[in-house]
Amino acid sequence: AKEVLEKRSEGFENIFESLYESEVGMNGTGINGHDEMHPHDDNRFPPRTYLLLVLRLNLSRVSLRVNNPDGAEELCKLIAQEASSSSLQRKCFRNLPPRNFGFHRSNSFSITSSALATASAAYQHDIDRRSKWLCSVAEHYLAGLVREARGEPNDYKSAVNHYNRLLSLARVKLDHRHPYICALLERRGAVLFEQQKLQCSMLSYLACLKILEHQQATGSNVFNKADLARVLYGIARVLHDKEDYLDALHTYQRALACQRDLAAGSSRPTLDVITTLCNISRVHHLMGDIDAALVANQEVLQLATILVCGKMDHPFLINRLKIEGNILVEAGRVEDAMRTFIEAARRCCDNGRDRMINTLMRGGSNSRGGNGSQEDADAGDSSVLSIRSATSMALIAFLHPSAAAA
């Protein structure tokens, strides 16, 4: 579509006329079987420049989703150049003959030429307004997403600046509870979280949540449960990193309830549910609730096994087994920890398995947490060997302190 719209041949505008003529046949019946006598809205086509702007914006967004920020940035630059060099908003209509954007009327519908001119002027004003807004979206929102995707500290700073500038513009032109402002606040909160500016991130997320809940309370279908789950998860991560564990746990559970509802109709678990359960397990562990941490981790293992189609040697499953072993060692359940570490070793590839088995065979004699004598271990005292092996194995796995590790 972009290639067609970028052709600047003299007869390009006739495409719109031919498209309409192909829709309404000689007998006045369109492709949907509606008679021309039936009342209908105007069938005018937007101007080429406006369609090209929209297409470039959509291509830029898709480029980001397929992890091509460079391609998205080039498209944003094209939009900016087009807007500045050729005065996009004014060119949308003034360079086109009136017949190309006027009403196509049925025989039963009559309108004076002055009313037609008024309607055309109103339509032109609406296109100008939309074009200006879309250019601002390309200049700031999409540019912010590009910087955010690159993930460098300077890029995060630039992304926040872009989001703030578009927020200032949106608050002037739109209602303070508009969905666009909600989306901008969410992105800004996410970037501020990556910068570990937790208080500012929390304020941005909470403002976003307030708008989202207002939209849902008024019966709007702009946002759905997936949006609510995503924002709640973002708030929980901030609380987690602020070490406000009780509130973090409560918010994670709210997000998890939404995610479970969304996944209820699917036979496979979702990655969002597993990620949230990982963080719930981590928070329970940090709060000292070992049993709840183990229960959450067991559910993670069950759901992840289904998600990877029973591939028992998947690195994520092995890592969660190591984490479970660490928790068991901390709880003093060394026999259970030993069995868990052996299961993790059994699932490893050859190199990883050899490293874990060698650690078990050494019995952790050099570890600070070793208990019992070497003679007891050599004599086959399984309790001594289990304690020392589990303690040494606990040093292999590492629990990342940040919520984002999940």
Side-chain angles (χ1 to χ4, degrees):
K2 185 171 74 72
E3 291 174 358
V4 171
L5 288 170
E6 285 177 342
K7 293 179 180 178
R8 297 180 178 274
S9 59
E10 293 181 359
F12 178 84
E13 287 79 8
N14 293 330
I15 293 176
F16 294 145
E17 195 74 23
S18 63
L19 284 172
Y20 178 76
E21 289 174 356
S22 65
E23 182 178 343
V24 181
M26 295 297 292
N27 60 355
T29 302
I31 56 176
N32 296 323
H34 296 297
D35 189 81
E36 190 184 7
M37 301 293 290
H38 192 275
H40 57 275
D41 295 329
D42 69 90
N43 293 306
R44 77 184 100 192
F45 290 93
R48 177 187 63 81
T49 46
Y50 178 77
L51 291 176
L52 186 57
L53 168 62
V54 174
L55 279 167
R56 283 173 174 167
L57 279 168
N58 287 335
L59 281 171
S60 177
R61 191 70 182 95
V62 172
S63 296
L64 284 168
R65 290 180 175 177
V66 297
N67 197 25
N68 181 18
D70 293 334
E73 187 174 34
E74 287 300 318
L75 287 164
C76 290
K77 288 179 180 178
L78 277 175
I79 292 171
Q81 291 171 1
E82 183 83 8
S84 60
S85 63
S86 60
S87 300
L88 176 64
Q89 291 79 23
R90 293 190 300 273
K91 192 174 77 171
C92 280
F93 277 95
R94 295 175 186 175
N95 293 341
L96 295 178
R99 63 184 178 84
N100 288 329
F101 58 85
F103 288 100
H104 291 281
R105 295 159 296 177
S106 64
N107 293 332
S108 62
F109 187 71
S110 176
I111 189 168
T112 63
S113 59
S114 60
L116 178 59
T118 301
S120 297
Y123 188 40
Q124 176 181 345
H125 175 75
D126 183 61
I127 289 290
D128 287 349
R129 180 181 59 82
R130 290 172 181 268
S131 298
K132 289 177 183 178
W133 171 254
L134 292 178
C135 287
S136 298
V137 169
E139 183 181 0
H140 299 301
Y141 181 69
L142 290 177
L145 291 176
V146 169
R147 301 294 186 277
E148 189 178 345
R150 287 176 175 159
E152 297 295 330
N154 289 336
D155 290 323
Y156 285 137
K157 183 178 179 180
S158 178
V160 171
N161 290 336
H162 279 297
Y163 294 147
N164 284 337
R165 291 181 66 181
L166 190 56
L167 267 171
S168 300
L169 178 64
R171 282 172 171 151
V172 172
K173 294 182 174 295
L174 306 171
D175 182 75
H176 281 253
R177 293 177 174 179
H178 197 279
Y180 293 167
I181 293 178
C182 183
L184 285 166
L185 287 168
E186 181 188 353
R187 295 311 329 142
R188 188 178 69 174
V191 175
L192 289 169
F193 174 80
E194 295 297 336
Q195 293 180 301
Q196 286 297 289
K197 296 181 179 179
L198 300 180
Q199 187 63 30
C200 295
S201 177
M202 175 61 71
L203 292 173
S204 191
Y205 270 129
L206 289 176
C208 171
L209 180 63
K210 186 175 182 180
I211 296 173
L212 194 151
E213 290 176 338
H214 168 76
Q215 291 286 336
Q216 291 184 333
T218 57
S220 171
N221 59 357
V222 174
F223 297 109
N224 54 30
K225 192 164 287 188
D227 299 309
L228 178 61
R230 190 176 60 251
V231 173
L232 287 171
Y233 177 76
I235 293 171
R237 285 206 308 168
V238 177
L239 291 167
H240 187 157
D241 279 17
K242 288 180 68 176
E243 300 183 2
D244 192 350
Y245 297 131
L246 189 61
D247 287 341
L249 181 61
H250 174 67
T251 312
Y252 275 137
Q253 289 169 342
R254 284 186 64 191
L256 181 63
C258 295
Q259 292 165 351
R260 289 189 193 277
D261 289 343
L262 291 167
S266 174
S267 59
R268 288 168 56 84
T270 65
L271 189 59
D272 290 338
V273 170
I274 294 172
T275 302
T276 304
L277 281 169
C278 286
N279 283 342
I280 288 175
S281 175
R282 175 66 176 152
V283 171
H284 278 306
H285 184 201
L286 292 170
M287 293 173 65
D289 192 347
I290 301 298
D291 291 336
L294 290 171
V295 170
N297 194 67
Q298 280 296 318
E299 187 174 3
V300 168
L301 286 168
Q302 293 170 5
L303 295 178
T305 302
I306 298 172
L307 190 63
V308 299
C309 302
K311 188 180 179 182
M312 305 302 290
D313 59 346
H314 193 282
F316 178 79
L317 297 177
I318 295 171
N319 183 62
R320 296 311 302 183
L321 284 171
K322 292 178 183 178
I323 290 173
E324 183 175 321
N326 280 340
I327 298 174
L328 290 168
V329 169
E330 185 175 326
R333 296 165 55 181
V334 290
E335 293 287 349
D336 293 335
M338 188 66 181
R339 285 193 290 270
T340 302
F341 286 132
I342 290 173
E343 175 63 19
R346 187 180 64 81
R347 297 186 184 190
C348 281
C349 62
D350 292 339
N351 293 336
R353 185 184 300 114
D354 291 343
R355 184 166 71 90
M356 293 186 73
I357 290 175
N358 288 335
T359 305
L360 289 170
M361 294 299 293
R362 287 197 302 271
S365 58
N366 295 327
S367 66
R368 290 174 293 178
N371 297 315
S373 66
Q374 183 64 43
E375 290 77 10
D376 290 336
D378 292 338
D381 189 333
S382 62
S383 62
V384 173
L385 181 61
S386 297
I387 292 170
R388 293 173 58 188
S389 297
T391 304
S392 63
M393 284 303 300
L395 301 176
I396 294 177
F398 176 67
L399 282 173
H400 198 288
S402 172

